[in-house]
Amino acid sequence: MKFIQKTIPMIYIVMFTIILFILFFYSGVDYYLKRELFIPNLLILLIIVPIFLYYYFCIKETKDIAEKKYYKYLTIISIVSYVLQIILTISIYFYTDWDVKVIREIVNEYMENRSLNNNFYLSLYPNNILFTAILVLIKSIPIFGEHYLFLLGINCILVNLAGIFTSLTIKNITTNKLSLLCFVVMIPLVVLSPWIVIPYTDTFAILFPILIVYLYTKKSRKKIDYYLIGLLSLFGYYIKPTVIITFIAIVIVEFISNLSIILDKSILKQNIKKYMTIVGMVIIGLMTAISLNKLSYKILNFKPMESVNPVTFVHYLSMGQNDQTLGAYSQSDVDDTIAKGEKNNLKKFFNRLTNRGFFEQINFFSKKTLLNFNDGSFSWGLDGTFFYEKTDCKNKFSEILREFYYNDGKYYKLFIQMTTILWIIVLFFCPFIIKKSNTKNEMVLMLSIIGITIFLTIFEPRTRYLYCYSCIFIVTSILGLERLKRIIMEINKKKKI
C-alpha cells in the first residue's frame, strides 16, 4: 500500500506538470489540427485565480446537505439537463460522415438484407461490431426506432447518466455538497456538449468509465457490484477499447494493496473464500460480456471476410508516430495497413520513432500533447466532412444555436474558446488531489488518468477520445479543488499559531 501511495502520485504529478507546462507555455506553436484561440492559455490563469478565491472565501464550511435533499436536487438537475439536451439536439442536429456515416449505412444495409456477412468495414474494424448490433437493436424498436431523433434521445440519456454518476462518485468519496458542485462545469462541458448529436462510441461509452469507478468507490460493495465491474469493463471495451483502462487501474491498485495478504499464507487462508468470491464474480461478469459480444455476431448474421485482416493495436501504434498528423488519423497509414499488413507496421513504428533526434522527440510529443489536451470542445468538427448533411433550421432560436456549434457560425470560435477555458480549469485542479496518504479510490482515479494519457501519447491522439473520460477528470478536479482549499487553510492555521 505504501508503495502505490508513493509511486502512483509521483508518476501522476510528473505527468501533470509536463501537461500543464506545455499547455501554458508551449501552446503558441503551430501543430496539426490546432484550434484558433483568441485568449492565450496563460491568461486563463487570471480566470482560475478568482474562481478559486471565490470558492475559498464564499463557499462556507456549513453543514452538509441531507441525503433526501441531495437526491431531490440531483433529480431536478438531471431532468432539467435532459430537457435542455433535447432542445439542443432538435435545434442543431445534422448528419456527419466519417465512421458515423459508414456505420449508419451498415445498419440500414442490415435492416434491408438482415445480414452483414462479409462486410468489409466490420471485417477491418471488428471493434465496431457490438456497437453496430446495439444500433440495429435500437432501430428495430417498433414505431420509435426508425426515427433518428429517437437514437439521439438515447445518446442524450447516456451522457446525462454519466453526469449523474459523476456526482454520485464524488458523493461516495466526499460530501453531498461537493458532489453537486460538479454540475457547474459538468453541464456546459459534457452534458450539453454538441457531441450528444453524434451517435458514436464516444458518447455511447461515456457512461462506462465513471459507472465502473462509481461501483468501485461505494462504501460497501456487494457481489453484484463486482459482477457489474467485470461486465461493464469488458462490454464497454468492446464499444470503446479505452474503457478497459479503469478496470486495469482497479486491478493494479487492489493487487498491490493486497499483496501482503496474498504473500502471507495464514492470512490468505482466512480470507480465501472472500477473495475467491470477488474474483469469481468479476470473471462471471467478464464472461457475460464475452458472450454478449459473440451474440452480436449472430444478431448481425456477420462473418468476417477471409481476405481481410482486422486492424490491431499495432496499426494504431504505427500511425501514432506519424509526423505529418502527429499520430492522428491518416488514410495513407490505413491503406498501408490493408496492403502490407501488421508486420510492416512494426517496422514503420520503429523507423518513425528512431529517426527522430532527442529534441525532435520532445517537439513531436509536446505537439501531440497539445493535440490531445488543448481543445475543450473535444475535437468538435474535426473529423472528415463533419457537417456532412445539415437539417432544416426550425426557428430563430435554432439559428442562434447553430451560430455557436456549426463551423461556419459567427460564434463558433467563441464556443471553442469557452469550452477550452472550462477544460483547462478542470485540468488545472486535477494535480491537487495528491496528499500524504491517498486512498485507494483516489489512486484509481489517478491511475485511470495516467492510463488514458499514456494511451493517447503512444497511440492515435484526439481530444475526442478524452470526452469518454471527461467525467473521471471532473471528479478528480473537484477533489483537487477541495484539497487545495484544505492545504491553504492548514497553512493559514499554522501562521496564526
Side-chain angles (χ1 to χ4, degrees):
M1 190 65 184
K2 287 180 181 179
F3 173 77
I4 57 173
Q5 281 177 338
K6 289 180 179 179
T7 307
I8 293 174
M10 189 182 296
I11 296 169
Y12 179 80
I13 194 64
V14 169
M15 183 193 78
F16 256 104
T17 301
I18 294 168
I19 291 170
L20 292 175
F21 179 85
I22 291 169
L23 284 174
F24 288 126
F25 300 104
Y26 197 67
S27 60
V29 300
D30 289 326
Y31 59 92
Y32 186 66
L33 298 177
K34 182 180 180 179
R35 290 298 200 180
E36 292 182 35
L37 303 171
F38 46 87
I39 299 177
N41 288 347
L42 199 56
L43 288 181
I44 296 175
L45 284 172
L46 300 178
I47 300 170
I48 294 172
V49 172
I51 287 172
F52 175 72
L53 291 175
Y54 176 82
Y55 178 74
Y56 184 83
F57 290 107
C58 300
I59 307 297
K60 296 179 181 178
E61 298 289 313
T62 55
K63 191 179 178 182
D64 195 19
I65 298 169
E67 289 285 298
K68 193 175 179 181
K69 205 175 236 185
Y70 165 78
Y71 285 110
K72 180 184 174 182
Y73 288 150
L74 183 63
T75 304
I76 292 168
I77 290 168
S78 302
I79 292 170
V80 172
S81 295
Y82 189 67
V83 171
L84 292 174
Q85 283 179 313
I86 296 301
I87 292 169
L88 178 62
T89 298
I90 293 170
S91 300
I92 73 164
Y93 86 96
F94 57 93
Y95 298 92
T96 189
D97 80 343
W98 47 291
D99 296 74
V100 182
K101 179 175 177 285
V102 174
I103 291 176
R104 190 167 68 246
E105 290 172 347
I106 289 172
V107 171
N108 292 335
E109 179 190 333
Y110 174 84
M111 300 307 289
E112 287 180 17
N113 304 322
R114 296 293 164 180
S115 175
L116 291 174
N117 197 22
N118 291 327
N119 181 275
F120 174 77
Y121 178 85
L122 294 181
S123 298
L124 190 64
Y125 298 108
N127 58 299
N128 277 323
I129 292 170
L130 178 59
F131 176 62
T132 303
I134 291 169
L135 294 186
V136 163
L137 291 173
I138 292 171
K139 193 151 189 173
S140 301
I141 295 172
I143 303 172
F144 302 104
E146 62 184 18
H147 299 287
Y148 190 63
L149 281 173
F150 177 71
L151 174 61
L152 296 185
I154 293 173
N155 212 29
C156 291
I157 289 172
L158 293 170
V159 176
N160 199 296
L161 285 171
I164 292 170
F165 281 104
T166 300
S167 179
L168 290 170
T169 300
I170 297 171
K171 181 182 183 297
N172 284 347
I173 299 171
T174 181
T175 63
N176 295 345
K177 187 177 177 182
L178 200 60
S179 64
L180 289 174
L181 182 67
C182 74
F183 285 106
V184 175
V185 68
M186 172 68 69
I187 290 173
L189 188 64
V190 179
V191 176
L192 294 181
S193 166
W195 280 105
I196 59 175
V197 305
I198 307 294
Y200 192 50
T201 56
D202 304 287
T203 46
F204 266 70
I206 194 171
L207 179 59
F208 291 100
I210 192 62
L211 184 49
I212 292 163
V213 173
Y214 161 75
L215 292 168
Y216 179 76
T217 56
K218 287 175 73 174
K219 290 178 175 65
S220 57
R221 291 187 292 271
K222 299 176 182 177
K223 291 179 184 178
I224 187 66
D225 296 319
Y226 294 108
Y227 169 77
L228 288 173
I229 287 172
L231 171 63
L232 294 169
S233 296
L234 200 53
F235 188 84
Y237 166 80
Y238 286 128
I239 297 173
K240 195 80 176 175
T242 52
V243 169
I244 202 71
I245 291 170
T246 51
F247 179 73
I248 293 170
I250 289 169
V251 170
I252 290 172
V253 169
E254 282 297 315
F255 178 77
I256 298 176
S257 60
N258 287 287
L259 193 57
S260 59
I261 295 173
I262 295 167
L263 295 174
D264 192 318
K265 290 181 180 179
S266 59
I267 300 175
L268 181 61
K269 195 175 181 180
Q270 293 171 10
N271 294 277
I272 191 70
K273 190 177 179 182
K274 174 188 169 184
Y275 288 120
M276 288 295 287
T277 302
I278 292 170
V279 173
M281 292 308 293
V282 172
I283 290 172
I284 293 169
L286 295 172
M287 294 301 292
T288 305
I290 292 169
S291 301
L292 290 171
N293 185 54
K294 287 183 178 179
L295 180 62
S296 66
Y297 282 74
K298 291 184 178 180
I299 290 170
L300 299 176
N301 192 16
F302 170 74
K303 284 184 180 179
M305 295 174 69
E306 291 182 5
S307 59
V308 176
N309 292 318
V311 165
T312 69
F313 76 96
V314 181
H315 162 76
Y316 297 102
L317 189 68
S318 172
M319 190 167 69
Q321 297 301 313
N322 188 311
D323 289 282
Q324 281 69 46
T325 65
L326 294 177
Y329 181 84
S330 166
Q331 186 59 50
S332 63
D333 275 328
V334 174
D335 295 338
D336 210 27
T337 297
I338 295 169
K340 299 177 182 177
E342 297 289 30
K343 284 185 179 180
N344 179 68
N345 279 332
L346 275 174
K347 292 179 183 177
K348 193 162 60 173
F349 165 71
F350 285 112
N351 287 336
R352 285 175 170 177
L353 187 64
T354 56
N355 282 342
R356 290 192 294 265
F358 177 74
F359 291 105
E360 288 174 322
Q361 297 282 18
I362 291 174
N363 184 56
F364 176 82
F365 285 106
S366 295
K367 287 181 176 180
K368 198 171 182 180
T369 299
L370 288 170
L371 178 57
N372 279 324
F373 287 96
N374 198 29
D375 184 359
S377 75
F378 301 106
S379 300
W380 176 253
L382 294 180
D383 285 284
T385 308
F386 199 82
F387 299 92
Y388 177 72
E389 185 184 333
K390 297 177 183 178
T391 56
D392 294 332
C393 202
K394 305 291 187 296
N395 48 51
K396 189 67 179 176
F397 181 65
S398 179
E399 285 180 19
I400 294 169
L401 286 176
R402 293 179 186 213
E403 293 291 349
F404 280 93
Y405 297 116
Y406 282 23
N407 61 351
D408 58 354
K410 290 181 185 176
Y411 311 114
Y412 181 71
K413 288 182 181 179
L414 179 62
F415 158 69
I416 300 297
Q417 180 65 72
M418 295 307 295
T419 52
T420 299
I421 289 171
L422 283 172
W423 179 232
I424 288 177
I425 290 170
V426 168
L427 294 175
F428 179 83
F429 289 110
C430 283
F432 294 102
I433 192 176
I434 292 175
K435 53 190 180 185
K436 283 183 180 179
S437 182
N438 284 104
T439 64
K440 290 198 290 185
N441 292 335
E442 291 163 343
M443 285 185 287
V444 165
L445 289 168
M446 286 189 277
L447 204 51
S448 296
I449 291 175
I450 290 168
I452 189 64
T453 302
I454 291 172
F455 181 91
L456 294 175
T457 301
I458 296 173
F459 297 102
E460 182 187 2
R462 191 62 66 88
T463 318
R464 171 164 64 85
Y465 302 148
L466 283 175
Y467 182 63
C468 186
Y469 268 77
S470 56
C471 301
I472 303 291
F473 279 88
I474 288 171
V475 171
T476 310
S477 184
I478 293 295
L479 296 176
L481 173 66
E482 178 64 13
R483 176 64 187 150
L484 180 58
K485 182 179 179 179
R486 297 290 170 194
I487 290 169
I488 294 174
M489 286 174 69
E490 286 172 14
I491 292 168
N492 288 335
K493 278 183 182 179
K494 286 180 181 178
K495 282 184 179 179
K496 288 178 182 179
I497 293 169

